[in-house]
Amino acid sequence: MIKNKRGEGYIWICVLVLVICMLLSIFITFASAVNVVRVVEKNSKTVLENLLMKNSIKIYNSIKQGNNDADSIDPDEYISDLSSFCTFEKSGNYYYHKDENGTAEYYISKPSVGFSETGKLKLTVSFDLYVPIYFDQVKIGTAKIPVKVNVDLNEKF
């Protein structure tokens, strides 16, 4: 039998449940932000590898000549391919990925494409990824994550 029927014992349980729900919400928000970073990094690497495949004849001739050099990689071609692959919309110096409602899910700065080693087929792409952080559909901040993707091609013979 419950002797105290005023409900004073339930306050601590309600506070504990509320704190656990808030912590769970924070962990889910963090996990979704980490997932966005992984997806963008994977997509960037895929687009960079596809760009190398499109330029494979030029690259193969360079390797066949024995110098393993490449003249240059067009950064605008990479940015165009990345925008179409990831459905980015350009606005200023940023590329936005929007949901079906037109709200920006995340956005990136203009990627810089270059060689990680001069005269070698080792390419690198770097940009900043910005992920808006929401709590209860209210934007509380934006996380800025630097992303760097490397792709190396080496001769197999």
PDB file of all heavy atoms in Angstrom, residues 11-23:
ATOM      1  N   ILE A  11       8.302  12.963  -8.759  1.00  0.00           N
ATOM      2  CA  ILE A  11       9.026  14.107  -9.319  1.00  0.00           C
ATOM      3  C   ILE A  11      10.422  13.690  -9.757  1.00  0.00           C
ATOM      4  O   ILE A  11      10.867  14.018 -10.853  1.00  0.00           O
ATOM      5  CB  ILE A  11       9.069  15.270  -8.305  1.00  0.00           C
ATOM      6  CG1 ILE A  11       7.653  15.808  -8.092  1.00  0.00           C
ATOM      7  CG2 ILE A  11      10.008  16.371  -8.785  1.00  0.00           C
ATOM      8  CD1 ILE A  11       7.560  16.878  -7.038  1.00  0.00           C
ATOM      9  N   TRP A  12      11.134  12.938  -8.921  1.00  0.00           N
ATOM     10  CA  TRP A  12      12.499  12.516  -9.265  1.00  0.00           C
ATOM     11  C   TRP A  12      12.498  11.580 -10.472  1.00  0.00           C
ATOM     12  O   TRP A  12      13.394  11.666 -11.323  1.00  0.00           O
ATOM     13  CB  TRP A  12      13.180  11.845  -8.076  1.00  0.00           C
ATOM     14  CG  TRP A  12      13.493  12.829  -6.999  1.00  0.00           C
ATOM     15  CD1 TRP A  12      12.847  12.974  -5.808  1.00  0.00           C
ATOM     16  CD2 TRP A  12      14.496  13.839  -7.050  1.00  0.00           C
ATOM     17  NE1 TRP A  12      13.376  14.006  -5.098  1.00  0.00           N
ATOM     18  CE2 TRP A  12      14.408  14.554  -5.839  1.00  0.00           C
ATOM     19  CE3 TRP A  12      15.447  14.216  -7.989  1.00  0.00           C
ATOM     20  CZ2 TRP A  12      15.251  15.618  -5.545  1.00  0.00           C
ATOM     21  CZ3 TRP A  12      16.287  15.276  -7.688  1.00  0.00           C
ATOM     22  CH2 TRP A  12      16.183  15.958  -6.481  1.00  0.00           C
ATOM     23  N   ILE A  13      11.528  10.747 -10.567  1.00  0.00           N
ATOM     24  CA  ILE A  13      11.434   9.838 -11.711  1.00  0.00           C
ATOM     25  C   ILE A  13      11.160  10.637 -12.985  1.00  0.00           C
ATOM     26  O   ILE A  13      11.767  10.380 -14.031  1.00  0.00           O
ATOM     27  CB  ILE A  13      10.356   8.768 -11.470  1.00  0.00           C
ATOM     28  CG1 ILE A  13      10.777   7.854 -10.323  1.00  0.00           C
ATOM     29  CG2 ILE A  13      10.090   7.976 -12.739  1.00  0.00           C
ATOM     30  CD1 ILE A  13       9.734   6.869  -9.886  1.00  0.00           C
ATOM     31  N   CYS A  14      10.278  11.614 -12.915  1.00  0.00           N
ATOM     32  CA  CYS A  14       9.985  12.455 -14.089  1.00  0.00           C
ATOM     33  C   CYS A  14      11.219  13.245 -14.524  1.00  0.00           C
ATOM     34  O   CYS A  14      11.517  13.351 -15.720  1.00  0.00           O
ATOM     35  CB  CYS A  14       8.840  13.413 -13.786  1.00  0.00           C
ATOM     36  SG  CYS A  14       7.245  12.594 -13.574  1.00  0.00           S
ATOM     37  N   VAL A  15      11.959  13.794 -13.579  1.00  0.00           N
ATOM     38  CA  VAL A  15      13.186  14.532 -13.900  1.00  0.00           C
ATOM     39  C   VAL A  15      14.212  13.595 -14.512  1.00  0.00           C
ATOM     40  O   VAL A  15      14.877  13.940 -15.500  1.00  0.00           O
ATOM     41  CB  VAL A  15      13.748  15.240 -12.646  1.00  0.00           C
ATOM     42  CG1 VAL A  15      15.144  15.785 -12.890  1.00  0.00           C
ATOM     43  CG2 VAL A  15      12.810  16.347 -12.190  1.00  0.00           C
ATOM     44  N   LEU A  16      14.344  12.408 -13.979  1.00  0.00           N
ATOM     45  CA  LEU A  16      15.294  11.426 -14.496  1.00  0.00           C
ATOM     46  C   LEU A  16      14.933  11.013 -15.928  1.00  0.00           C
ATOM     47  O   LEU A  16      15.803  10.940 -16.803  1.00  0.00           O
ATOM     48  CB  LEU A  16      15.341  10.197 -13.585  1.00  0.00           C
ATOM     49  CG  LEU A  16      16.339   9.113 -13.967  1.00  0.00           C
ATOM     50  CD1 LEU A  16      17.757   9.649 -13.881  1.00  0.00           C
ATOM     51  CD2 LEU A  16      16.172   7.917 -13.066  1.00  0.00           C
ATOM     52  N   VAL A  17      13.659  10.775 -16.189  1.00  0.00           N
ATOM     53  CA  VAL A  17      13.218  10.423 -17.541  1.00  0.00           C
ATOM     54  C   VAL A  17      13.473  11.578 -18.503  1.00  0.00           C
ATOM     55  O   VAL A  17      13.932  11.381 -19.633  1.00  0.00           O
ATOM     56  CB  VAL A  17      11.729  10.020 -17.542  1.00  0.00           C
ATOM     57  CG1 VAL A  17      11.178   9.940 -18.952  1.00  0.00           C
ATOM     58  CG2 VAL A  17      11.538   8.693 -16.823  1.00  0.00           C
ATOM     59  N   LEU A  18      13.229  12.805 -18.090  1.00  0.00           N
ATOM     60  CA  LEU A  18      13.465  13.982 -18.925  1.00  0.00           C
ATOM     61  C   LEU A  18      14.952  14.132 -19.253  1.00  0.00           C
ATOM     62  O   LEU A  18      15.314  14.403 -20.398  1.00  0.00           O
ATOM     63  CB  LEU A  18      12.939  15.236 -18.218  1.00  0.00           C
ATOM     64  CG  LEU A  18      13.031  16.534 -18.998  1.00  0.00           C
ATOM     65  CD1 LEU A  18      12.184  16.441 -20.265  1.00  0.00           C
ATOM     66  CD2 LEU A  18      12.578  17.691 -18.135  1.00  0.00           C
ATOM     67  N   VAL A  19      15.819  13.938 -18.276  1.00  0.00           N
ATOM     68  CA  VAL A  19      17.270  14.034 -18.507  1.00  0.00           C
ATOM     69  C   VAL A  19      17.733  12.936 -19.457  1.00  0.00           C
ATOM     70  O   VAL A  19      18.535  13.188 -20.365  1.00  0.00           O
ATOM     71  CB  VAL A  19      18.034  13.987 -17.162  1.00  0.00           C
ATOM     72  CG1 VAL A  19      19.521  13.781 -17.365  1.00  0.00           C
ATOM     73  CG2 VAL A  19      17.781  15.257 -16.371  1.00  0.00           C
ATOM     74  N   ILE A  20      17.244  11.735 -19.293  1.00  0.00           N
ATOM     75  CA  ILE A  20      17.619  10.628 -20.182  1.00  0.00           C
ATOM     76  C   ILE A  20      17.157  10.919 -21.606  1.00  0.00           C
ATOM     77  O   ILE A  20      17.899  10.687 -22.566  1.00  0.00           O
ATOM     78  CB  ILE A  20      17.040   9.297 -19.658  1.00  0.00           C
ATOM     79  CG1 ILE A  20      17.779   8.880 -18.395  1.00  0.00           C
ATOM     80  CG2 ILE A  20      17.144   8.207 -20.713  1.00  0.00           C
ATOM     81  CD1 ILE A  20      17.187   7.688 -17.686  1.00  0.00           C
ATOM     82  N   CYS A  21      15.968  11.465 -21.777  1.00  0.00           N
ATOM     83  CA  CYS A  21      15.471  11.816 -23.117  1.00  0.00           C
ATOM     84  C   CYS A  21      16.318  12.915 -23.748  1.00  0.00           C
ATOM     85  O   CYS A  21      16.609  12.867 -24.951  1.00  0.00           O
ATOM     86  CB  CYS A  21      14.011  12.246 -23.058  1.00  0.00           C
ATOM     87  SG  CYS A  21      12.874  10.895 -22.711  1.00  0.00           S
ATOM     88  N   MET A  22      16.732  13.894 -22.981  1.00  0.00           N
ATOM     89  CA  MET A  22      17.580  14.955 -23.511  1.00  0.00           C
ATOM     90  C   MET A  22      18.941  14.407 -23.944  1.00  0.00           C
ATOM     91  O   MET A  22      19.456  14.774 -25.015  1.00  0.00           O
ATOM     92  CB  MET A  22      17.754  16.068 -22.475  1.00  0.00           C
ATOM     93  CG  MET A  22      16.498  16.876 -22.251  1.00  0.00           C
ATOM     94  SD  MET A  22      16.612  18.063 -20.906  1.00  0.00           S
ATOM     95  CE  MET A  22      17.900  19.116 -21.468  1.00  0.00           C
ATOM     96  N   LEU A  23      19.536  13.543 -23.137  1.00  0.00           N
ATOM     97  CA  LEU A  23      20.821  12.932 -23.508  1.00  0.00           C
ATOM     98  C   LEU A  23      20.681  12.072 -24.761  1.00  0.00           C
ATOM     99  O   LEU A  23      21.556  12.098 -25.634  1.00  0.00           O
ATOM    100  CB  LEU A  23      21.367  12.105 -22.345  1.00  0.00           C
ATOM    101  CG  LEU A  23      21.885  12.892 -21.147  1.00  0.00           C
ATOM    102  CD1 LEU A  23      22.268  11.941 -20.018  1.00  0.00           C
ATOM    103  CD2 LEU A  23      23.065  13.760 -21.545  1.00  0.00           C
TER     104      LEU A  23
END
